[in-house]
Amino acid sequence: NQGVDLQLVRQAGISEDPADIQLADEQMAKLLQEGVFVADLDTLPFVWLVTKTEQVQLGISYTNVLTCSHGLLQQVHHDPDETAALLAQQVAIALQHQPVRRAAQQAGQRYEEVLQQSGSKTNLQPQLLDVLEKTALQPATDIERYASDAQGFYLLADAGGNPGGAVAAMSRLQYMAKNPEAFTGVFRKDDFPDLGRRIERLQTLLKAYSCGHVSVLEGDKVYVDAQL
């Protein structure tokens, strides 16, 4: 998925729906508290929020502000497994890009120090940070998406979540992508590319992880030993 443009987030506003806030808070807390991380979480400060737009949106900024939209949570019917799976993918993206993001932040801070030491009254830091953020907002490559999907899958499973949630959630997104006329103004296919291949790879992970006991059929129905 593409990164988050924080200016657009500000324009959209923050959701005031208690169901949105509770769902996002509970699932992120579960991922961060119960998930298995190699890095010290104190070095990975995550801020998450739900925007109130009806559009289906999901992403993370270069400063680790993770956002999902009210529209997205509506489309997954506020399902905790599917929500957790999508959030886990974004946490995985942040983990992958953390060294680059940290370097960008440090470069911005160092640039400001140099300007102050030189006595220059010209403040170019906003423009520099804008360039850094736009660079971070570049769309992910296929390999990066596959990697974040897989890492998010294992993060969710390690945190005790339903490993079928990712396939179910992305199958909903794929349905929207295949039926654009029913979701005009709500869903942008370009924001969620290569869904078919990504679902296939997640199905393979799911089958291997569960030793064949868990499967997702009919798009979003998770079965354990053929039982819904």
Side-chain angles (χ1 to χ4, degrees), residues 3 24 30 55 57 66 72 77 86-87 124 171 182 197 212 215 223:
K30 183 176 182 179
Q55 295 182 339
Q57 296 177 347
L66 190 159
L72 174 68
H77 305 295
L86 293 173
L87 294 176
L124 298 178
S171 293
R197 179 60 178 152
S215 58
Y223 290 79

Side-chain angles (χ1 to χ4, degrees), residues 163-182:
V167 176
M170 296 187 74
S171 293
R172 289 190 193 275
L173 297 175
Q174 186 181 47
Y175 176 81
M176 287 186 273
K178 290 182 176 180
N179 297 274
E181 69 284 348

Side-chain angles (χ1 to χ4, degrees), residues 73-96:
L73 298 184
Q74 278 190 316
Q75 292 300 331
V76 299
H77 305 295
H78 285 79
D79 182 272
D81 294 329
E82 296 181 31
T83 301
L86 293 173
L87 294 176
Q89 291 174 353
Q90 298 307 303
V91 171
I93 291 172
L95 293 171
Q96 290 176 0

Side-chain angles (χ1 to χ4, degrees), residues 5-225:
D5 187 332
L6 292 181
Q7 181 60 36
L8 295 180
V9 170
R10 297 185 189 98
Q11 293 174 1
I14 309 303
S15 173
E16 298 177 359
D17 186 330
D20 289 348
I21 298 169
Q22 181 178 357
L23 179 60
D25 284 351
E26 288 180 350
Q27 299 311 313
M28 281 297 293
K30 183 176 182 179
L31 289 169
L32 297 179
Q33 293 172 10
E34 302 180 29
V36 178
F37 294 87
V38 175
D40 183 352
L41 279 182
D42 290 340
T43 68
L44 303 171
F46 289 104
V47 176
W48 58 91
L49 54 87
V50 182
T51 60
K52 62 182 178 181
T53 178
E54 296 293 328
Q55 295 182 339
V56 175
Q57 296 177 347
L58 177 71
I60 189 162
S61 77
Y62 87 102
T63 52
N64 287 348
V65 179
L66 190 159
T67 69
C68 61
S69 66
H70 172 72
L72 174 68
L73 298 184
Q74 278 190 316
Q75 292 300 331
V76 299
H77 305 295
H78 285 79
D79 182 272
D81 294 329
E82 296 181 31
T83 301
L86 293 173
L87 294 176
Q89 291 174 353
Q90 298 307 303
V91 171
I93 291 172
L95 293 171
Q96 290 176 0
H97 293 173
Q98 185 64 20
V100 175
R101 289 190 172 95
R102 186 178 296 122
Q105 291 165 343
Q106 291 174 346
Q109 292 169 357
R110 179 56 182 159
Y111 183 77
E112 183 179 22
E113 292 171 0
V114 171
L115 285 178
Q116 290 176 346
Q117 292 171 1
S118 67
S120 173
K121 296 182 180 180
T122 303
N123 183 10
L124 298 178
Q125 189 189 31
Q127 292 94 319
L128 174 63
L129 294 179
D130 183 62
V131 170
L132 293 173
E133 184 163 356
K134 283 183 168 57
T135 300
L137 289 173
Q138 294 301 311
T141 65
D142 288 344
I143 293 177
E144 289 173 332
R145 278 190 288 268
Y146 298 154
S148 62
D149 288 349
Q151 189 173 2
F153 173 91
Y154 288 115
L155 173 61
L156 175 64
D158 289 340
N162 185 336
V167 176
M170 296 187 74
S171 293
R172 289 190 193 275
L173 297 175
Q174 186 181 47
Y175 176 81
M176 287 186 273
K178 290 182 176 180
N179 297 274
E181 69 284 348
F183 301 96
T184 302
V186 174
F187 182 82
R188 280 173 37 91
K189 182 178 179 180
D190 291 345
D191 289 344
F192 299 91
D194 199 21
L195 287 169
R197 179 60 178 152
R198 294 167 71 185
I199 291 171
E200 288 178 4
R201 294 174 71 94
L202 285 168
Q203 285 276 27
T204 300
L205 284 178
L206 179 61
K207 184 176 180 179
Y209 184 84
S210 67
C211 298
H213 291 287
V214 180
S215 58
V216 177
L217 305 175
E218 301 173 51
D220 60 355
K221 293 182 174 60
V222 181
Y223 290 79
V224 179
D225 293 331

